[in-house]
């Protein structure tokens, strides 16, 4: 475990992770290109969920490389990386369950989004965000659900159109779980440590 901590803090590893996330973010926005072209401008910040999550983490990694903590980005990254990482994996598995079809692109999405969820969790000991940052990040995340499932801006999975109500319900609770996860892994841990000291 100590070895893992050393690797995670190594500047070379942080830089490698930064490059991977920058490339993933760029590709993610490209992947959303067709949908973004038909999205009203007011909704644009809320449509490309996964690349925006990895973009938040890019700022977190830049902060680590500068020996700084960009606290709001840490809260946003932890919540959204876990949420959209898990969400995309579930949607691809659900697609397979509905269609019986699973190809290389879907496997890439499952693996890359599993990595998204994992990388956010790996750095929980380094995050320094406070309750105010968690509240703002939580509002952003829940507001995104409204944009997606009230205004119909969710990512396009045409083969799952018959399940939008169920997916919306699942996504709402996944958001709540992600916010609570961030609280218990960072803020609750810090509060418990302070009491012991």
């Amino acid at each position: 475990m100590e070895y893992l901590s050393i690797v995670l803090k190594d500047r070379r590893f942080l830089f490698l992770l930064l490059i991977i996330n920058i490339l993933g973010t760029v590709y993610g926005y490209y992947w959303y290109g067709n949908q973004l072209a038909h999205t009203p401008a007011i909704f644009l910040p809320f449509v490309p969920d996964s690349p925006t999550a990895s973009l938040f983490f890019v700022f977190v990694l830049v902060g680590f490389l500068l020996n700084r903590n960009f606290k709001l980005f840490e809260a946003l990254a932890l919540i959204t990386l876990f949420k959209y990482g898990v969400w995309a994996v579930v949607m691809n598995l659900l697609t397979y369950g509905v269609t019986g079809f699973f190809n290389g692109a879907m496997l890439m999405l499952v693996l890359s989004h599993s990595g998204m969820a994992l990388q956010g969790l790996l750095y929980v000991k380094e995050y320094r965000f406070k309750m105010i940052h968690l509240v703002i990040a939580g509002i952003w995340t829940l507001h995104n659900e409204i944009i997606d499932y009230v205004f119909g801006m969710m990512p396009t999975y045409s083969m799952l159109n018959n399940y939008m109500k169920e997916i919306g319900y699942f996504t709402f609770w996944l958001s709540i779980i992600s916010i609570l996860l961030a609280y218990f892994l960072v803020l609750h841990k810090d509060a418990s440590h302070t009491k012991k000291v």
Side-chain angles (χ1 to χ4, degrees):
M1 203 64 172
E2 187 177 340
Y3 176 75
L4 177 61
S5 178
I6 292 171
V7 171
L8 291 175
K9 294 178 183 179
D10 188 284
R11 294 182 66 82
R12 293 166 297 182
F13 183 79
L14 287 169
F15 187 74
L16 175 63
L17 207 54
L18 176 63
I19 297 303
I20 291 171
N21 277 272
I22 289 173
L23 294 176
T25 299
V26 171
Y27 176 76
Y29 284 119
Y30 169 78
W31 189 85
Y32 272 94
N34 187 54
Q35 185 174 353
L36 291 174
H38 299 92
T39 298
I42 194 171
F43 295 134
L44 284 175
F46 306 101
V47 171
D49 299 324
S50 294
T52 300
S54 59
L55 179 62
F56 291 149
F57 196 57
V58 164
F59 287 108
V60 172
L61 292 169
V62 168
F64 289 165
L65 286 166
L66 296 174
N67 296 314
R68 295 184 60 188
N69 288 88
F70 297 140
K71 297 175 184 178
L72 180 56
F73 285 113
E74 289 174 358
L76 285 165
L78 177 55
I79 292 171
T80 59
L81 284 174
F82 181 80
K83 174 189 168 183
Y84 295 119
V86 171
W87 187 91
V89 170
V90 171
M91 289 307 108
N92 278 277
L93 295 178
L94 182 58
T95 299
Y96 172 68
V98 169
T99 66
F101 178 74
F102 196 83
N103 61 13
M106 294 169 72
L107 177 61
M108 181 272 292
L109 287 170
V110 167
L111 293 176
S112 62
H113 284 80
S114 296
M116 272 181 56
L118 178 62
Q119 71 177 356
L121 296 173
L122 285 173
Y123 283 92
V124 291
K125 290 185 177 180
E126 307 304 319
Y127 300 146
R128 299 293 179 266
F129 61 80
K130 305 299 182 187
M131 181 59 79
I132 183 62
H133 307 111
L134 182 66
V135 169
I136 293 170
I139 290 171
W140 167 278
T141 303
L142 293 172
H143 177 258
N144 203 48
E145 306 309 344
I146 303 300
I147 301 302
D148 280 355
Y149 295 98
V150 174
F151 292 95
M153 295 292 128
M154 75 289 287
T156 304
Y157 279 81
S158 57
M159 63 288 294
L160 299 179
N161 284 344
N162 292 334
Y163 304 95
M164 279 300 110
K165 289 181 181 178
E166 293 83 357
I167 291 172
Y169 184 75
F170 162 75
T171 306
F172 168 77
W173 282 108
L174 181 58
S175 293
I176 297 298
I177 290 169
S178 301
I179 294 166
L180 289 174
L181 188 72
Y183 171 76
F184 282 107
L185 289 179
V186 179
L187 296 182
H188 182 71
K189 174 200 70 176
D190 288 347
S192 299
H193 177 72
T194 302
K195 286 180 182 178
K196 288 179 183 177
V197 173

